[in-house]
Amino acid sequence: MTVHQPNSFRSGPDERGRFGKFGGRFVAETLMPLILELEEAYAAAKADPAFQQEMDGYLAHYVGRPSALYFAERLTDHFGGAKIYLKREELNHTGSHKVNNVLGQIMLARRMGKKRIIAETGAGQHGVATATLCARFGLDCVVYMGAVDVARQAPNVFRMKLLGAEVVPVQSGTKTLKDAMNEALRDWVTNVESTFYCIGTVAGPHPYPMMVRDFQSIIGRETREQMLAIEGRLPDSLVACIGGGSNAMGLFHPFLDDPTVEIYGVEAAGHGIATGLHAASLSGGKPGVLHGNRTYLLMTEDGQIKDAHSISAGLDYPGIGPEHSYLHETGRVTYLSATDSEALEAFQLLSRLEGIIPALEPAHALAKVAELAPNKPKDHLMVVNLSGRGDKDVPQVSEMLGSKV
Amino acid sequence: MTARLDAKFAALAQEGRAGLVTFLTAGDPDPATTLALLKGLPAAGADVIELGMPFSDPMADGPAIQWASMRALKAGQTLAKTLDLVRAFRASDATTPLVLMGYYNPIYVYGVERFLDEAKAAGVDGLIVVDLPPEEDDELCLPALKAGLAFIRLATPTTDDHRLPKVLANTAGFVYYVSITGVTGTVTPDFDKVGSAVARLKRHTALPVAVGFGVKTAAHAAAVAKGADAVVVGSALVEALRTSLDAEGRATEKTVPAVLGLAEDLAAGVRAAAKAA
């Protein structure tokens, strides 16, 4: 199959909110006027230097940016190939990349005069970031979380409550992230006048995939500058994990038009793609329409959405951001997958070699680094996005490893 | 080519009353029960039948219809089986308009053209697909109109005068006014507001206006019927069905009478309301 190669991979979305055939605005009529209003408000904010200036202030002094680009010497020696750098998003306030996007959306919500914020969360990192910024700016915060995830991410549930958010365990459907998103959409339809829906990943109806990507692109922009400062040239490859794909999109986007940069996204293969128990929408799914956008989805032959499975609640989503679907079909980004056990192994490896306990999500990216890095020359510069820290996963991993540690 | 819908609304106008649109989910709790209900509903007073195509992630629906979808899917309902039900219904009823309601993904995966051909041949009159706003008209709305099926658009309290022409542009059959901002079957609408909203819609369109979401009882139906051309009831009928099921979620001898009995009450409410001139 000949794939059409556009002049720029960074030009999307078009005026209809599409990346190629992916994206769009597939939502109930009740939400459409608000989505159009949001699109306008975001365009105005983007063009307003005061908005960016205010955000830069909070990014520096509240979030703690720029995050470090750290040369992982022991990890590099261990694999014996590429020179591995870690983009330390886990050092951000609240412990993950999620805060970059939430800050942007909350600033926008304030501009729009919205006092009530709703969010959905899987692992809880997006919920914690949202609860944190709502506390900071005195906004009401309601976080929808699948009942299954509430049980397996207890530390984050407690954090959100401590920050003053109301956490609503979602009992419908499969009681995981996709159902939390359904429930958040139901809340939004019901309270559309007063409420801002803070989506946690590069998915949902236009303009969310674009807006979240823009807010997360600070990861890639910083990486670019930092690598040029440290090594005097661009990296040779980028690796990031993908659930919905916001940390990956943020790292990848500023490099999409640099043909020398190889880009790898890593999906969660759960028990293995062949078992059907996984969360790899690109490797094991096909195009469909859910949660306001057309993208790759895990589903039955009859178009019913299937349960995703991953050791990591943050990757446990049956879809992926539409821009990733586009980058997959154009071939610009190579999408791989890592199993639960590979991620668990990488989780321990990084802890022991570098003194950094990663979240289970970026442990998937690290698991593929174990395959990619040894085959690269020693002057190959590889950047891995360390999207979150593993504190939240320690109880779960400790239970899984039992007496081994 | 919305003959059955047009004829029905013309007849209702002649009678000087509003119509009753009843919603059920296909395959809830099994296809045979759905078919028995479809066959019984016109005699019970349903003027238009709305049949839900079950979906795993019904974002616009409240708990009653969510659970109906889950029961149907658990019992093995598919889009193909839903079309089978329409064919079986049409074998004994050539006049009652039937519209399919659902979400886009199962149709998209089935194939839009194939779906439209088969739906038209099966005797479907119109489609309500809640996650396709006018901005996405070329996905299904325009092909449906071309295939001779009405695409029934929802208008909501957030659809202002500026947006309304866009919403109405490719709508056919009737306009479905959503009486609340929210999901199906939750709060009871403010009937005075509904009346003025319907009057506003009628200034923009000559199409009949049906009103739904939150209409549960004969009295509610009567209140809505005063101003609207039709009243849509879904969650209340689905709840009547649910409460008739046995502990394993199977239909009992009470199921069909429970649903048809409520439909009769609602139809009486609709008929009792003197339609405003």
Side-chain angles (χ1 to χ4, degrees):
Chain A
M1 189 176 72
T2 330
V3 178
H4 169 68
Q5 295 289 336
N7 292 326
S8 170
F9 290 97
R10 304 184 66 211
S11 59
D14 64 18
E15 69 286 351
R16 299 180 63 198
R18 298 208 177 175
F19 305 90
K21 70 176 180 183
F22 299 103
R25 281 178 292 221
F26 297 87
V27 293
E29 173 58 26
T30 309
L31 294 178
M32 271 314 293
L34 194 90
I35 279 175
L36 296 171
E37 188 194 333
L38 174 64
E39 193 180 346
E40 264 177 46
Y42 177 55
K46 213 170 164 177
D48 179 359
F51 180 77
Q52 192 56 49
Q53 206 178 353
E54 195 183 5
M55 247 183 69
D56 288 346
Y58 287 110
L59 284 169
H61 306 294
Y62 192 70
V63 174
R65 298 205 72 92
S67 70
L69 183 68
Y70 160 74
F71 171 48
E73 193 178 358
R74 296 239 298 149
L75 196 65
T76 297
D77 288 347
H78 179 79
F79 291 132
K83 199 168 173 185
I84 300 165
Y85 282 87
L86 303 177
K87 182 59 176 163
R88 303 285 305 275
E89 289 299 301
E90 99 284 7
L91 294 178
N92 292 337
H93 182 42
T94 77
S96 81
H97 70 291
K98 294 288 185 188
V99 70
N100 305 325
N101 162 49
V102 173
L103 173 68
Q105 289 198 46
I106 295 295
M107 307 274 295
L108 192 59
R110 293 175 76 223
R111 265 174 87 101
M112 294 174 75
K114 306 284 182 187
K115 307 262 187 254
R116 179 175 182 268
I117 308 296
I118 57 170
E120 84 295 329
T121 199
Q125 291 301 85
H126 174 60
V128 168
T130 307
T132 298
L133 283 154
C134 285
R136 170 61 186 80
F137 291 109
L139 302 166
D140 291 338
C141 181
V142 178
V143 180
Y144 290 93
M145 192 168 181
V148 168
D149 294 336
V150 168
R152 64 178 168 174
Q153 296 288 334
N156 273 344
V157 173
F158 181 72
R159 286 166 81 192
M160 286 184 269
K161 289 182 177 170
L162 200 59
L163 291 158
E166 181 192 346
V167 180
V168 181
V170 174
Q171 302 289 351
S172 61
T174 55
K175 304 177 190 183
T176 57
L177 182 53
K178 82 176 171 80
D179 307 290
M181 196 152 181
N182 291 338
E183 214 55 43
L185 283 163
R186 290 184 186 112
D187 180 314
W188 200 22
V189 170
T190 308
N191 302 293
V192 67
E193 299 291 347
S194 66
T195 299
F196 186 97
Y197 180 14
C198 184
I199 294 185
T201 192
V202 285
H206 176 67
Y208 281 99
M210 168 183 77
M211 186 167 72
V212 177
R213 172 201 74 195
D214 291 350
F215 291 140
Q216 291 294 1
S217 289
I218 192 165
I219 302 171
R221 288 198 305 273
E222 280 180 10
T223 299
R224 208 179 166 89
E225 280 173 27
Q226 290 165 324
M227 193 57 105
L228 285 169
I230 301 167
E231 296 276 1
R233 62 184 179 95
L234 292 180
D236 298 301
S237 60
L238 307 172
V239 190
C241 67
I242 300 191
S246 71
N247 88 84
M249 217 49 246
L251 175 65
F252 298 169
H253 195 258
F255 293 99
L256 288 177
D257 286 341
D258 296 300
T260 61
V261 181
E262 296 168 23
I263 307 183
Y264 300 95
V266 184
E267 297 190 288
H271 294 310
I273 306 284
T275 65
L277 296 170
H278 63 85
S281 313
L282 291 177
S283 311
K286 57 182 179 171
V289 174
L290 181 72
H291 293 154
N293 61 167
R294 177 175 12 240
T295 192
Y296 273 71
L297 299 169
L298 301 181
M299 55 185 161
T300 67
E301 283 182 6
D302 196 45
Q304 307 298 336
I305 308 305
K306 285 206 280 199
D307 300 357
H309 167 82
S310 169
I311 190 177
S312 157
L315 302 181
D316 206 347
Y317 179 65
I320 183 166
E323 196 166 5
H324 285 294
S325 294
Y326 167 75
L327 293 169
H328 168 65
E329 289 205 346
T330 54
R332 175 62 187 101
V333 175
T334 303
Y335 291 89
L336 309 167
S337 61
T339 63
D340 286 353
S341 56
E342 288 171 322
L344 204 52
E345 212 166 289
F347 181 93
Q348 298 168 80
L349 185 74
L350 191 73
S351 302
R352 285 187 181 159
L353 287 181
E354 295 287 353
I356 299 171
I357 300 176
L360 281 170
E361 289 85 352
H364 286 72
L366 290 161
K368 287 296 111 167
V369 169
E371 282 175 20
L372 293 166
N375 299 316
K376 304 289 185 193
K378 286 193 185 298
D379 63 348
H380 180 105
L381 304 177
M382 181 176 280
V383 177
V384 186
N385 201 14
L386 203 63
S387 58
R389 64 176 178 238
D391 308 29
K392 69 181 172 67
D393 298 316
V394 165
Q396 188 193 349
V397 173
S398 130
E399 197 177 307
M400 280 185 292
L401 296 179
S403 58
K404 284 203 282 173
V405 171
Chain B
M1 280 297 289
T2 53
R4 266 187 292 254
L5 280 165
D6 294 346
K8 172 56 80 172
F9 280 104
L12 289 169
Q14 282 272 310
E15 284 179 52
R17 68 168 178 93
L20 174 66
V21 183
T22 58
F23 171 92
L24 288 172
T25 298
D28 172 26
D30 61 78
T33 303
T34 304
L35 186 58
L37 288 167
L38 290 177
K39 286 182 169 172
L41 278 167
D47 296 296
V48 177
I49 289 176
E50 188 186 341
L51 185 62
M53 299 174 279
F55 183 48
S56 53
D57 293 76
M59 291 88 73
D61 285 297
I65 294 177
Q66 286 179 52
W67 289 114
S69 253
M70 293 305 125
R71 288 192 296 270
L73 290 174
K74 202 175 157 199
Q77 190 66 16
T78 62
L79 190 46
K81 287 183 185 174
T82 298
L83 293 172
D84 289 343
L85 276 172
V86 178
R87 272 187 284 273
F89 169 69
R90 274 286 168 251
S92 62
D93 186 323
T95 55
T96 307
L98 185 148
V99 300
L100 292 178
M101 176 272 173
Y103 296 80
Y104 185 40
N105 195 53
I107 297 170
Y108 178 71
V109 170
Y110 198 76
V112 166
E113 209 169 308
R114 175 183 169 210
F115 169 74
L116 290 174
D117 287 351
E118 292 180 18
K120 178 75 186 162
V124 172
D125 299 292
L127 303 173
I128 300 172
V129 182
V130 293
D131 52 355
L132 285 176
E135 281 73 7
E136 304 292 351
D137 263 359
D138 54 355
E139 293 284 335
L140 182 65
C141 171
L142 298 179
L145 292 173
K146 208 173 147 202
L149 290 168
F151 197 84
I152 294 143
R153 182 85 71 206
L154 307 183
T156 72
T158 61
T159 316
D160 60 16
D161 283 342
H162 173 68
R163 183 169 169 78
L164 206 44
K166 189 167 186 154
V167 169
L168 295 170
N170 293 315
T171 300
F174 62 92
V175 182
Y176 187 144
Y177 182 68
V178 175
S179 60
I180 54 163
T181 55
V183 292
T184 52
T186 49
V187 298
T188 303
D190 175 333
F191 296 114
D192 289 339
K193 277 192 188 165
V194 168
S196 53
V198 171
R200 179 170 74 93
L201 278 175
K202 287 193 160 291
R203 288 198 292 276
H204 285 86
T205 181
L207 287 169
V209 177
V211 174
F213 280 46
V215 180
K216 292 192 175 73
T217 64
H220 291 167
V224 172
K226 279 183 187 161
D229 299 301
V231 181
V232 189
V233 183
S235 296
L237 289 163
V238 166
E239 271 301 279
L241 182 147
R242 183 186 66 82
T243 52
S244 74
L245 302 176
D246 69 14
E248 274 78 49
R250 289 175 305 217
T252 64
E253 73 280 1
K254 292 183 199 148
T255 302
V256 172
V259 177
L260 296 183
L262 177 56
E264 280 169 16
D265 287 351
L266 294 162
V270 167
R271 283 168 170 79
K275 199 177 161 192

